[in-house]
Amino acid sequence: MIVANQKPLNEIWGMVAPYRRVLIVGCGTCMTVCGTGGEREVAFLHHALRLIESKSDQSNHIFSEYTIKRQCEPEFIEMLAEKIQDKDAVLSLGCGIGIQAIAERFDTLPVLPGVNTSIIGMSTMQGVWLEHCVACGECRLDETAGICPVARCAKGILNGPCGGTKNGKCESNRDMDCAWILIYKRLEKLGQLDKMRRYYPMRNFQVIPRPRRLIKLVAGGNGDGQLSL
Amino acid sequence: MEALQIIRSDNPFPSVCAYICSHPCEEACRRKQVDKPVAIRALKRFAVEFGGDRMVRSEAKTIFPEKNAIIGSGPAGMSCAFYLRKLGYPVTVFEAHSEIGGMLRFGIPQYRLPKEVLDGEIRRMTGMGIEFRTSTPVVSLDLLFEMGYQAIFVSIGAQQSRRLGVEGENKPGIVDAITFLRETNLGLKPAIGENVVIIGGGNVAIDASRSALRLGAKTVNLVCLESRSEMPAFPTDIQYAEEEGVIINYSWGVKAILGKEVITGVELKRCVAAFDTDGKFNPAYDESITQVLLADTVITAIGQVPQIPESYGLKTRGSTILVDPVTLNTNRKGVFAGGDASSGPATAIQALANGRLAALRIDDYHRHRYPRSMEEESKSSIGELSSQTIQAIRKISRYEPPLVPPEKRKKVFQPVEKVYGWETAAEEARRCLRCGSGAEILFPDKCAACLTCLRVCPYSVPRIDQNFDIQIPADQCQACGICVTRCPAMAIALRKPWDRRYIDEEMERYHQKIKITGSKPLIIGFCCQYGLFGTSLLAGLWKTTGAGIWIIPVMCIAKVESYHFLKAFELGAEGVFLAGCGEQCSRENTITEAKAQIKRARSVLAELGFDINQLQAYLPEQKDNNPEGTPEKWLEEFIGHVGSLHLKSLLTVEEKVDRSKSETFK
């Protein structure tokens, strides 16, 4: 799931201050789950901004709130149309996708980011997410017993481990487990240690032209299902 | 007072019930599944005595023309009168005695129900427009119809005592308990000797024996056929009787009453079984085992039957009036019956319920409506607590209402039980599990299944169903409110309005007050209503509203969210506090949750240049000798602190103004 962090309050205030009527838009899916941009956080931010304003020398801001189910779907974004009519700016607490989607649809209005989108995260316990996937586009988790070396190895090596592991921990970050030790142990459990012997060619670390476009073959679409680089 | 209004909407004489009710509600109370049921009766008494009963009015208007006559002013009759009057009918209650109340007045001793309490309720009923005609026995129902009454409710009770049927029963010195109790309650001080023997195992027998003690008997022996566990009297009353010195002789029957001109003793025979194998009352004796009890007075309390005048023309079943179970109609059109007269001796609360049912049925009769079966009304029931939930619930022992010690109380007719104080009442009321008023996912479309509610619940209540939707089962939820405050999608709400204590609405009202009057709060306090903060401290604090302390009552601190604190400062407060029951809180994790909400708010406040101590919490670690001090002392210190900060800020502003005056403006 996409995980983001709310921006510091003073940074948000700095962005929002020049605009008078601001609509704070929340997202009801990923941002709700990671506790950053759901309806509750929108309410909290709303009141924080009002409090800031009351203590500053300004007094002309009008904040309003609205949370849509997902900011990455055109149909849901369309539901903002009425609310946005008399506004001067939108402060979106959606992930980077949502912010851009809103900006594209309502391109006569400045759309400000309220969050820093960070990682694709795995929830381990309440409030803690670990980046276990970097969307490299070449998933080989079948070979590595379900543990991703691109995300979880500090060097991102594909034929690891390097010589620097110590007591199962990474030499560059002593708190991090060495991904390749984890992979080895689990392959052992699965009885698939022969996979350690296979050699993987290097990944293409040249700058990958972005944005990559993935067109899937879905009902009504006409793509070919290949990730084009 | 809110509690009292709710109580009075369903119960015509809560003050009476508060003293003497057999509390079947406590048997059904789900707290029983954890430890002991909530002391509902004792709490009702607290509500009645401290809830400003004088200010809760019972009013009624006459809407319909049909006149109703009620025969007998006991609990069934009075209850029927109350509800018929509330529905809008003219009501007249006919009472053969010179005083109103039936068994409530004549059968129940003063130490259980003081007559002032009963008189208070009767006054309330007269105030509603119910007409009482005392010293007016009703001889003929036809006469009542001729007088214009269109419905009659016969609630004459069961006042005739059964006879023992043993040798010697006609000697002087034997009296039946009903007569004995009536004379005692009228203040006539019936003559009893030194050694009194009471025959019977029910509440009437217990009442008679305890009254005999108070009238000066030296020894009081109670004899009953049943074993201890089979005795029909209320277990607490049996216990009180024994504490006061009544000797209970279980499993004995009466063989004969001894003595020539006066009674000298009672000969008993062993009762081997009071009930037969079918469970029916069918005493079996072993005549070879006997004993003799010394006695100069014998009081019989072996059951009562109604005295139904033949002139009424009513069909009976056995000794009681035959009624249709749904309509409460007798064989005569327009004549209804209820209470002990149709059920046989039962409890007061059963009579009240029956009277109420009768009123509804009489209303149906007048309005030509088909009576709905009462079954429909109360079929929704709640499941049992799971063992997981029970384990997580904080165990708090039941606070019993204080009793006058047996040595003192057995000499006087003053009430045996004292009422709770504010603190004990709050502590006992906190044990309530708030069944059915817990959280529900009100907006499932908003729910993102983030599992926060599942993870923060101290009682592990929310669960994932097979569609991967989250369900919060109503029969396990303890209504702490933590998931409500934590849900990131604000999709959860509490089911019952009274538990929500709309914080946002209260703050909006303050907002309007500021706009209209221009007054500003110095301090805003969120005070938990479940603890002392809902009672004496709050009452004191309300008075200081003029001094700038504005209180927002909350139902448990777990319901206050971080943005509420921000809002409070936005309203202009210089200091904000949260006061809760601390370690006394009956719900788990509320302190940690409240502290987390405060931390979040403080992080914003710190960024804005506030002193974080302008937002504080009073969550006492223990009941007495708290390191944080008493609530009053803590509040004083808080006010002082906020005041000095306010002063400091004013001075800084002045400094700034001075400095800016001396600099050139850009």
Side-chain angles (χ1 to χ4, degrees):
Chain A
M1 195 195 62
I2 300 184
V3 179
N5 264 325
Q6 219 177 77
K7 280 180 177 294
L9 212 48
N10 52 3
E11 190 183 330
I12 296 182
W13 175 247
M15 282 190 286
V16 156
Y19 304 101
R20 191 165 158 257
R21 289 166 301 202
V22 179
L23 177 66
I24 309 174
V25 182
C27 174
T29 312
C30 300
M31 293 296 109
T32 292
V33 178
C34 67
T36 298
E39 196 166 320
R40 180 169 304 283
E41 286 303 318
V42 168
F44 184 83
L45 186 59
H46 182 177
H47 286 98
L49 289 173
R50 282 170 61 151
L51 186 59
I52 296 178
E53 191 193 38
S54 71
K55 294 293 165 198
S56 73
D57 48 9
Q58 303 185 29
S59 62
N60 58 342
H61 290 90
I62 304 177
F63 297 107
S64 42
E65 331 172 354
Y66 193 50
T67 300
I68 59 179
K69 184 109 188 153
R70 269 203 303 288
Q71 292 187 12
C72 51
E73 301 284 6
E75 289 86 344
F76 290 140
I77 297 173
E78 200 52 44
M79 294 167 78
L80 284 174
E82 214 188 290
K83 302 256 172 202
I84 239 171
Q85 270 173 17
D86 57 337
K87 305 290 185 293
D88 304 314
V90 167
L91 172 63
S92 165
L93 294 184
C95 71
I97 296 285
I99 300 169
Q100 293 188 64
I102 296 181
E104 182 163 328
R105 167 66 184 83
F106 299 105
D107 55 4
T108 52
L109 226 65
V111 179
L112 313 167
V115 310
N116 290 320
T117 309
S118 342
I119 57 171
I120 304 174
M122 161 74 194
S123 168
T124 51
M125 52 190 224
Q126 179 68 9
V128 181
W129 288 272
L130 298 181
E131 185 178 28
H132 280 192
C133 173
V134 294
C136 71
E138 295 175 29
C139 193
R140 290 257 58 100
L141 282 171
D142 61 320
E143 301 290 344
T144 55
I147 296 167
C148 177
V150 181
R152 299 173 73 170
C153 167
K155 299 176 186 172
I157 55 182
L158 295 178
N159 295 288
C162 69
T165 72
K166 196 164 184 171
N167 294 329
K169 300 285 181 191
C170 175
E171 66 178 348
S172 61
N173 180 354
R174 304 265 172 81
D175 296 320
M176 202 164 98
D177 289 327
C178 167
W180 278 101
I181 301 287
L182 293 175
I183 293 172
Y184 181 93
K185 290 210 173 118
R186 204 181 286 170
L187 283 172
E188 191 177 39
K189 232 187 199 172
L190 291 172
Q192 293 181 339
L193 270 179
D194 53 305
K195 291 191 177 172
M196 286 292 300
R197 293 183 187 280
R198 290 210 213 138
Y199 169 73
Y200 290 103
M202 286 183 290
R203 284 179 67 214
N204 181 5
F205 281 105
Q206 286 177 342
V207 173
I208 301 171
R210 303 253 185 192
R212 298 173 294 175
R213 180 170 293 147
L214 178 66
I215 306 171
K216 287 185 55 120
L217 196 65
V218 290
N222 57 353
D224 57 3
Q226 295 299 316
L227 181 65
S228 53
L229 290 172
Chain B
M1 200 194 290
E2 260 183 77
L4 195 50
Q5 282 168 329
I6 294 176
I7 294 172
R8 278 207 176 273
S9 67
D10 257 347
N11 184 327
F13 325 116
S15 57
V16 169
C17 293
Y19 278 84
I20 54 138
C21 190
S22 59
H23 49 77
C25 54
E26 289 184 22
E27 296 311 306
C29 173
R30 281 167 98 236
R31 180 80 200 195
K32 228 170 85 157
Q33 296 175 30
V34 179
D35 36 44
K36 289 225 178 103
V38 176
I40 303 175
R41 181 187 59 77
L43 282 170
K44 262 201 182 148
R45 178 156 167 208
F46 175 81
V48 163
E49 297 205 10
F50 286 83
D53 204 14
R54 270 163 283 142
M55 298 204 264
V56 178
R57 315 250 238 115
S58 292
E59 287 171 338
K61 279 203 287 258
T62 307
I63 313 175
F64 302 113
E66 292 89 350
K67 283 165 59 174
N68 298 280
I70 296 180
I71 309 180
S73 67
M78 290 215 284
S79 173
C80 185
F82 179 89
Y83 284 104
L84 275 175
R85 187 78 197 110
K86 275 234 118 151
L87 284 166
Y89 292 96
V91 177
T92 308
V93 179
F94 293 90
E95 171 53 56
H97 279 296
S98 53
E99 299 205 38
I100 302 170
M103 276 308 186
L104 291 177
R105 185 179 297 279
F106 298 121
I108 301 184
Q110 293 292 297
Y111 58 81
R112 283 180 63 210
L113 179 62
K115 55 173 171 276
E116 303 82 59
V117 173
L118 186 56
D119 287 337
E121 293 291 357
I122 294 170
R123 265 198 302 274
R124 185 184 283 269
M125 291 180 73
T126 349
M128 279 170 74
I130 297 174
E131 188 192 353
F132 286 95
R133 310 248 293 245
T134 51
S135 303
T136 316
V138 172
V139 168
S140 143
L141 299 181
D142 303 299
L143 189 57
L144 284 177
F145 282 123
E146 276 175 41
M147 285 166 72
Y149 292 100
Q150 289 174 283
I152 302 177
F153 181 59
V154 179
S155 48
I156 52 181
Q159 305 197 47
Q160 178 156 357
S161 299
R162 288 186 202 272
R163 295 183 64 79
L164 271 174
V166 295
E167 192 191 313
E169 198 170 351
N170 296 317
K171 293 196 180 63
I174 300 188
V175 64
D176 71 282
I178 299 295
T179 313
F180 172 68
L181 285 171
R182 189 184 323 127
E183 292 177 2
T184 312
N185 288 340
L186 280 173
L188 298 175
K189 287 207 178 24
I192 53 168
E194 293 191 342
N195 302 304
V196 181
V197 168
I198 289 121
I199 319 233
N203 288 311
V204 180
I206 295 281
D207 280 341
S209 43
R210 294 170 74 192
S211 297
L213 264 182
R214 284 158 171 78
L215 286 173
K218 288 253 166 55
T219 64
V220 176
N221 271 293
L222 185 142
V223 173
C224 62
L225 293 166
E226 297 91 348
S227 64
R228 173 78 183 232
S229 52
E230 288 169 340
M231 272 180 88
F234 300 149
T236 18
D237 286 346
I238 302 175
Q239 186 196 325
Y240 293 165
E242 287 188 311
E243 284 171 7
E244 289 164 16
V246 173
I247 305 163
I248 306 190
N249 305 276
Y250 304 101
S251 303
W252 287 100
V254 175
K255 192 165 172 180
I257 308 210
L258 311 167
K260 284 230 177 69
E261 269 99 42
V262 290
I263 301 179
T264 53
V266 181
E267 190 179 4
L268 306 175
K269 57 186 176 181
R270 184 41 113 195
C271 172
V272 288
F275 298 91
D276 61 21
T277 42
D278 294 326
K280 280 175 66 178
F281 184 70
N282 194 2
Y285 303 98
D286 182 346
E287 307 255 352
S288 64
I289 305 176
T290 61
Q291 67 159 320
V292 172
L293 285 178
L294 204 61
D296 47 32
T297 316
V298 173
I299 305 178
T300 56
I302 51 170
Q304 301 81 41
V305 293
Q307 288 162 292
I308 308 166
E310 280 222 28
S311 55
Y312 284 8
L314 295 175
K315 274 218 181 89
T316 58
R317 176 174 48 194
S319 49
T320 54
I321 304 178
L322 181 64
V323 291
D324 178 292
V326 173
T327 61
L328 298 193
N329 234 318
T330 60
N331 56 305
R332 290 186 67 166
K333 181 168 163 13
V335 178
F336 301 79
D340 283 2
S342 65
S343 65
T347 60
I349 193 74
Q350 281 167 309
L352 286 187
N354 202 231
R356 176 168 176 224
L357 181 60
L360 297 176
R361 292 296 167 255
I362 294 176
D363 178 45
D364 288 336
Y365 168 74
H366 287 314
R367 306 266 70 78
H368 308 289
R369 265 198 306 262
Y370 196 77
R372 240 176 358 163
S373 171
M374 290 292 273
E375 303 262 336
E376 292 168 25
E377 287 180 4
S378 54
K379 250 339 171 182
S380 61
S381 62
I382 192 169
E384 304 262 310
L385 289 171
S386 73
S387 50
Q388 198 181 28
T389 317
I390 293 178
Q391 221 173 359
I393 294 176
R394 189 170 286 221
K395 314 290 178 289
I396 308 173
S397 27
R398 178 171 146 137
Y399 291 89
E400 299 289 351
L403 286 178
V404 179
E407 278 312 303
K408 276 206 184 130
R409 68 187 195 233
K410 72 180 189 189
K411 302 198 183 108
V412 291
F413 280 90
Q414 303 312 109
V416 159
E417 191 187 271
K418 296 200 266 209
V419 71
Y420 285 135
W422 285 96
E423 275 191 50
T424 11
E427 280 162 19
E428 179 58 23
R430 276 203 285 263
R431 295 173 68 243
C432 173
L433 301 181
R434 306 175 209 164
C435 301
S437 59
E440 60 173 340
I441 299 185
L442 199 57
F443 304 107
D445 49 317
K446 281 195 196 174
C447 172
C450 69
L451 308 181
T452 300
C453 57
L454 201 134
R455 293 169 184 164
V456 299
C457 177
Y459 305 98
S460 309
V461 173
R463 27 203 89 143
I464 309 175
D465 70 14
Q466 59 219 30
N467 298 325
F468 302 99
D469 292 324
I470 314 297
Q471 303 295 336
I472 305 183
D475 43 13
Q476 309 299 326
C477 175
Q478 299 299 304
C480 66
I482 293 176
C483 65
V484 178
T485 16
R486 283 294 200 176
C487 172
M490 290 174 120
I492 307 178
L494 289 163
R495 287 169 205 269
K496 292 286 154 79
W498 60 75
D499 219 12
R500 270 180 250 177
R501 203 83 214 193
Y502 300 109
I503 301 178
D504 293 298
E505 269 86 337
E506 309 244 1
M507 297 194 86
E508 181 54 33
R509 254 192 283 131
Y510 278 156
H511 182 51
Q512 294 303 320
K513 177 174 171 174
I514 295 170
K515 270 195 357 207
I516 296 173
T517 66
S519 59
K520 266 177 49 153
L522 174 67
I523 289 179
I524 291 184
F526 295 87
C527 294
C528 175
Q529 292 259 280
Y530 282 113
L532 273 183
F533 309 99
T535 58
S536 50
L537 179 65
L538 195 63
L541 285 177
W542 280 117
K543 292 201 189 99
T544 51
T545 307
I549 302 181
W550 295 11
I551 302 295
I552 297 178
V554 299
M555 303 295 277
C556 192
I557 53 174
K559 309 222 172 59
V560 184
E561 310 186 30
S562 40
Y563 77 82
H564 288 135
F565 297 127
L566 299 185
K567 237 175 160 168
F569 282 103
E570 203 200 329
L571 285 175
E574 299 281 336
V576 175
F577 73 89
L578 175 72
C581 312
E583 279 309 310
Q584 301 257 292
C585 182
S586 59
R587 297 297 186 267
E588 301 298 316
N589 294 0
T590 49
I591 299 181
T592 5
E593 286 294 315
K595 286 191 173 163
Q597 300 285 353
I598 289 187
K599 191 165 170 216
R600 182 92 201 273
R602 274 181 171 177
S603 65
V604 172
L605 295 175
E607 268 195 62
L608 290 175
F610 284 88
D611 181 319
I612 56 169
N613 287 314
Q614 283 176 268
L615 171 60
Q616 284 194 45
Y618 177 70
L619 301 166
E621 276 172 43
Q622 58 212 39
K623 195 174 149 180
D624 304 305
N625 298 325
N626 200 334
E628 302 211 37
T630 62
E632 293 84 2
K633 185 156 170 297
W634 181 90
L635 189 60
E636 238 182 80
E637 283 179 20
F638 182 66
I639 297 173
H641 181 72
V642 167
S644 67
L645 279 174
H646 181 58
L647 198 58
K648 227 196 301 174
S649 72
L650 284 177
L651 291 172
T652 338
V653 166
E654 278 185 26
E655 264 182 49
K656 275 205 196 129
V657 170
D658 285 341
R659 236 186 293 137
S660 66
K661 276 194 183 147
S662 64
E663 290 172 3
T664 38
F665 286 108
K666 284 199 194 143

